[in-house]
Amino acid sequence: MAARYGRRRSVLRMRTLAGQVFLLQVAIVVLLVAAGMGALVLQSRSDSEREARNRSVAVAETFAHSPGIEAALESPDPTAILQPRAEEARKRSGVDFIVVLSTQGIRYTHPLPDRIGKQFVGNLAPARAGKVVTEKITGTIGPLVQAVVPVRGANGAVIGMVSAGITIDHVSGVVEDQFPLLLGAAGVVLLLTTGGTALVSRRLRRQTHGLGPTEMTRMYEHHDAVLHAVREGVLIVDGEGRLLLANDEARRLLSLPADVEGRPVAELGLDPRTAELLTSGRIASDEVHLVGDRLLAVNQRSTDADGGPPGSVATIRDTTELQALSGRADVAQARLKLLYDAGTEIGTTLDVVRTCEELAEFAVGRFADYATVDLMSAVLRGEEPTPSGGGAEMHRVAFHGLRQDTALYPLGTAIRFLPTTPMGAGIGKGEAVLEPDLAALRGWQQQSPVRAQKLVDSGFHSMIAVPLRARGVILGVAMFWRSKRPEAFEEEDLSLAEELVARAAVSVDNARRFTREHTMAVTLQRSLLPRGLPEQNALDVAFRYRPAQAGLGGLGGVGGDWFDIIPLPGARVALVVGDVVGHGLHAAATMGRLRTAVHNFSTLDLPPDELLWHLDELVARIDQEEVADGNEGGEAGVTGATCLYAIYDPSTGRCTMARAGHVQPVVLHANGTADFAEVPGGPPLGLGGLPFETLELQLPENSSLVLYTDGLVEDRERDIDESLALLRRTVAGHPDRSPDETCEAVLRALLPERPRDDIALLVGRTRVLDPAKVADWEVRPDPSAVGEVRGAVARTLAEWGLEEEAFTTELILSELVTNAIRYAIGPIHVRLILDRSLICEVSDHSSTSPHLRQAATTDEGGRGLFLVAQFADRWGTRYTPDGKVIWTEQPLPSEDL
């Protein structure tokens, strides 16, 4: 550009400025390098002296405490012993000398043999007192640091001293190593400085373009033309309050005359507030001033901030129309924010009532002074509402306001809005109703004239009623009232209320549908769980089942927890608790399948570990079926289950347990102590591949077994270990509690306020059979022993008052014992138990099981087991580790039940 206007480029001047910058930067770099070198030298000296002191002390203390030093000092010739050792230690440790001294300071050792026997030079008083002393001296080999360490004898007295020293030069040399790096860095910095100076010089030439006065004048003219053409007023005021410049737009906006330059601002006839701002010179940003009928936004800055002349420059723009638009935009933005906040604060749970409460709480304070929500009865039950809400019964489920003692219907009130009132008609049509002036009594008071008058008398002056509508049906109605706020509801408020309620209605409908599913799942779950306690005498049992709270972020809802009490042959009983992974209808249905399977497997009288193995196979097959149906990864897929199965025998007091991924049960002993039963942990059901192990416990009478699912001890507010410890503490110390009382105490202590998972709790207190009601005999493997058994059984039944059952019992036992003698091996044992029924058991060491068959008329045998099945109420076989047991049950006469 300089060439265009015929002006020579001032290279020399630019170079001179660049040279000055370059010299300044070089000086700064040299000073920094010198300061760095000086700091490095000082730091190196300090580090060298500290290193010399630490090394001398370490070497002296090590030699002073070395083995044999005490004996050498007390020997007739310490030098002969210590001199070679001291020299060897000196060479290995890298110090300049190691000197062993007597308590008088006479050298026993020295690198120079001619110094041995002479007085040591240094401060020895602290060492004689038993302290370590270090000092810096200048010796014959230069500046050094030496340490003197006392040598103590067996009695603790100082018997000698050891001094080690090293010259500072010996450990220095860091500075010399850093000089090349420092000098190299200085050279690089200088090179970068030179390059940077060249770039700065080039940028200065490029920015000024070498313009001279003519070119600058022309540029000013252009700027002046632009200044008066812009649609923003510009004012420049000097430090004395005189107007130096005003462009055309400023003259128009402030109605200034043509000859205003040079006049004081106070004499221009401006309003006092605007004149005060222009003369003060203070900083202002978008400060709004009313000048005539215009709203002017003024920005003002000082002109002397960067060394310029004193004064200020102000820019002015007309914002009259923009202010009106901004006001409407602010209203729209506030409305959008209100609706956005509603979306985040309403419908946080899938609970119908809580959602309505959130709507009422949100509206009060932001939109209304009072808010109520009424829902149809069907919605509260989770059912589909009727297509039209006109005249239907509703219940008030939410109320929130500045006060609680108002004439509004209280919570829980059943309300039928009269179709003749504006509210009733609006609800029937699904339309919102606005009552801007309640005192006018234009029909809304017909719902309840007495309440209406009380509301008006207490200050209620405006109301909006909006039906909650979703999927074309009316769910209820939300009503908003104003009493403290003087502004009445307007049409814009009605539109906002409709949008607010529409959003809430979707959340209410979602919660209703979830409530329906939850209710169905709970109904299915409870139908699949035991509804009462079976008749048995082995355990005193109590149970509790709590479904998960619906609508907790997708985690709530009925799960697959179950429990069972299953009577087994031989007066035994099985306790079962289990948990299917997942929630909802599918989990409940799967639980029912597993509970049925456990019942079926229990009829086979399997041990706990074998029963869990069969159950594991069943769950694996269920998983395979789900995958085959294309449900893998979906909500319906079964991913496993846990189970704990325990069998208690009241005749022996033995309890056998096995678990598959389930939590450990708690055992409350009769003395009040409680601990967790260490049942071997098996994998959850459905994984397969690993065996299950059992635990056998001897449970005295009045011991309690507490079985539960993980929902009882898993809580977001508490660690599971804390929950388990709390469970044990709650159970312990109360052996006198009944099982029902134990269940209540456990739930009070551990049940969360809003449980996120199902909870199944089962408590059984042990009983022991009366020995007088148990009789057993060993049977000889001889057919003649059958008669002996029949006689013993007849006498026992006579003692029990069951003479009428003697014939049937003798016949049953005769057939069973005869079969055992004929076909079984090993000892034969007969046991008779009087419980809720008369139980006969014949055990042997054979694993073959008899089978019931229909004997032909020509068969000589085969009718024995058929007769047993006819006379006994139930019969079966269970296998033991030593063989099998064939059992029968006979009903007792009604008077003995």
Side-chain angles (χ1 to χ4, degrees), residues 572 647-656 695-699:
R572 297 168 304 139
I647 297 178
Y648 175 69
D649 189 346
S651 64
T652 61
R654 300 289 294 177
C655 182
T656 306
L695 172 70
E696 288 193 5
L697 294 176
Q698 185 69 37
L699 297 180

Side-chain angles (χ1 to χ4, degrees), residues 366-379:
R366 291 182 174 93
F367 178 69
D369 297 327
Y370 294 88
T372 61
V373 181
D374 308 316
L375 291 182
M376 293 191 177
S377 303
V379 176

Side-chain angles (χ1 to χ4, degrees), residues 60-388:
E61 286 188 341
T62 301
F63 196 84
H65 295 87
S66 63
I69 186 78
E70 181 181 354
L73 289 173
E74 294 176 353
S75 67
D77 189 4
T79 300
I81 300 174
L82 296 175
Q83 175 66 10
R85 293 173 57 185
E87 283 303 295
E88 182 180 0
R90 177 182 67 81
K91 294 175 182 178
R92 291 188 176 182
S93 62
V95 298
D96 289 313
F97 65 84
I98 297 177
V99 178
V100 183
L101 310 172
S102 67
T103 55
Q104 291 77 26
I106 303 301
R107 298 187 182 100
Y108 287 143
T109 66
H110 198 277
L112 301 177
D114 59 343
R115 304 291 178 86
I116 297 175
K118 297 181 180 180
Q119 184 69 32
F120 180 78
V121 178
N123 183 15
L124 299 178
R128 291 191 183 99
K131 299 181 179 178
V132 177
V133 60
T134 60
E135 55 185 340
K136 179 181 179 183
I137 63 173
T138 302
T140 57
I141 58 176
L144 59 82
V145 175
Q146 66 180 12
V148 181
V149 177
V151 179
R152 297 183 182 271
N155 57 358
V158 177
I159 61 175
M161 293 169 284
V162 176
S163 176
I166 185 171
T167 61
I168 296 177
D169 293 339
H170 195 85
V171 294
S172 63
V174 178
V175 176
E176 292 78 2
D177 295 339
Q178 298 296 327
F179 278 155
L181 178 61
L182 186 60
L183 293 175
V188 172
V189 171
L190 287 174
L191 182 61
L192 294 175
T193 302
T194 304
T197 302
L199 292 176
V200 170
S201 301
R202 179 182 297 179
R203 185 172 182 84
L204 287 174
R205 290 194 299 269
R206 185 170 60 252
Q207 289 182 347
T208 59
H209 301 290
L211 296 177
T214 303
E215 293 81 3
M216 296 296 292
T217 301
R218 187 174 300 172
M219 182 181 296
Y220 171 77
E221 293 174 351
H222 292 168
H223 290 175
D224 188 63
V226 172
L227 178 67
H228 292 284
V230 295
R231 295 287 296 172
E232 187 168 300
V234 178
L235 298 171
I236 299 179
V237 182
D238 64 9
E240 298 179 357
R242 294 181 178 275
L243 185 63
L244 299 181
L245 182 144
N247 69 346
D248 294 342
E249 183 66 9
R251 297 171 190 269
R252 185 184 69 83
L253 294 176
L254 298 177
S255 301
L256 297 177
D259 55 343
V260 293
E261 281 81 358
R263 295 174 56 182
V265 174
E267 299 178 1
L268 299 179
L270 302 175
D271 67 284
R273 186 164 173 263
T274 305
E276 185 276 331
L277 172 63
L278 296 176
T279 56
S280 66
R282 61 182 174 85
I283 296 176
S285 297
D286 289 332
E287 190 171 303
V288 179
H289 290 255
L290 179 61
V291 179
D293 57 350
R294 295 190 180 96
L295 285 175
L296 304 181
V298 182
N299 291 275
Q300 182 168 272
R301 296 293 184 272
S302 176
T303 58
D304 59 357
D306 297 324
S312 61
V313 58
T315 59
I316 305 172
R317 69 179 184 276
D318 190 357
T319 62
T320 305
E321 297 181 0
L322 188 62
Q323 191 75 11
L325 294 175
S326 177
R328 290 194 292 269
D330 290 341
V331 173
Q333 184 177 7
R335 180 171 178 172
L336 289 175
K337 186 178 185 306
L338 182 69
L339 295 176
Y340 173 80
D341 293 340
T344 59
E345 299 182 27
I346 300 176
T348 59
T349 67
L350 289 173
D351 183 87
V352 173
V353 175
R354 181 55 193 158
T355 302
C356 295
E357 292 173 350
E358 290 173 346
L359 171 60
E361 293 169 1
F362 180 85
V364 173
R366 291 182 174 93
F367 178 69
D369 297 327
Y370 294 88
T372 61
V373 181
D374 308 316
L375 291 182
M376 293 191 177
S377 303
V379 176
L380 291 174
R381 295 191 300 268
E383 301 173 0
E384 289 287 345
T386 57
S388 177

Side-chain angles (χ1 to χ4, degrees), residues 796-868:
T796 301
L797 294 180
E799 294 175 1
W800 291 347
L802 298 176
E803 293 87 351
E804 295 181 1
E805 304 296 322
F807 175 77
T808 303
T809 306
E810 291 177 20
L811 177 61
I812 291 173
L813 285 177
S814 296
E815 295 298 333
L816 296 180
V817 172
T818 300
N819 285 340
I821 295 174
R822 179 176 300 177
Y823 302 109
I825 59 175
I828 301 173
H829 187 82
V830 174
R831 186 169 68 162
L832 204 61
I833 301 174
L834 178 59
D835 192 48
R836 289 184 174 272
S837 60
L838 182 60
I839 303 170
C840 300
E841 295 182 347
V842 177
S843 60
D844 56 57
H845 284 200
S846 174
S847 61
T848 58
S849 176
H851 296 281
L852 182 66
R853 66 186 181 90
Q854 183 72 44
T857 56
T858 58
D859 290 341
E860 296 183 0
R863 295 179 177 84
L865 200 57
F866 180 79
L867 293 175
V868 170

